[in-house]
Amino acid sequence: MSIPPTGLKILVIDDSNTIRRSAEIFLKQGGHDVLLAEDGFDALAMVNDHLPDLIFCDILMPRLDGYQTCGIIKRNARFANTPIVMLSSKDGVFDKARGRMVGSQQYLTKPFTKDQLLQTVRQFTPATSGDT
């Protein structure tokens, strides 16, 4: 039984091509529209232009790290309620706490599986009453 597409627009920000492509494949298989950004600077323009429903943001990136990117996005009133999930290869308490301080709602450790990624997305998918 296949899951009907929820049609969320999801932005994945990661400097690793492998992580971006894996996330894109998994999310598209889950029925979502996917936008990709290599770093925080690319992401800021995309957030403004495409208004994603959910953002996955790597922490360790060149130019603008994930904490800075998340903080800038969250300070803009238009995106204050857009959920941001931090991505990191480190599973530290400090990283999770710092992510929450800049406004991220969730934390996902890399490498992630398709199930972990889609389960995280489901936490932020609005329930539909079927009258779309």
Side-chain angles (χ1 to χ4, degrees):
M1 187 168 125
S2 66
I3 301 168
T6 58
L8 284 187
K9 191 183 302 179
I10 302 172
L11 173 60
V12 178
I13 312 164
D14 201 301
D15 59 327
S16 162
N17 187 49
T18 305
I19 294 294
R20 283 196 315 273
R21 293 293 167 220
S22 297
E24 179 181 32
I25 290 165
F26 295 160
L27 292 168
K28 284 187 173 179
Q29 287 173 348
H32 303 287
D33 293 325
V34 183
L35 303 162
L36 302 173
E38 288 184 29
D39 63 35
F41 282 109
D42 291 344
L44 295 176
M46 294 183 89
V47 166
N48 205 41
D49 294 345
H50 299 282
L51 309 172
D53 300 306
L54 174 62
I55 300 169
F56 285 95
C57 184
D58 184 25
I59 292 175
L60 297 174
M61 296 184 291
R63 300 202 297 168
L64 202 60
D65 74 21
Y67 299 123
Q68 294 166 314
T69 303
C70 182
I72 291 168
I73 292 168
K74 288 298 189 171
R75 279 194 295 273
N76 184 321
R78 283 177 72 193
F79 311 113
N81 294 321
T82 303
I84 298 179
V85 177
M86 301 305 276
L87 297 173
S88 179
S89 52
K90 298 189 295 185
D91 191 17
V93 173
F94 175 78
D95 294 313
K96 291 179 182 179
R98 189 167 173 207
R100 291 209 189 285
M101 284 170 52
V102 294
S104 77
Q105 277 73 15
Q106 184 67 274
Y107 190 97
L108 190 60
T109 304
K110 300 188 288 187
F112 46 78
T113 65
K114 176 182 173 182
D115 288 344
Q116 288 171 319
L117 190 65
L118 293 178
Q119 179 60 41
T120 302
V121 170
R122 278 193 289 275
Q123 294 175 19
F124 299 103
T125 305
T128 56
S129 56
D131 55 356
T132 53

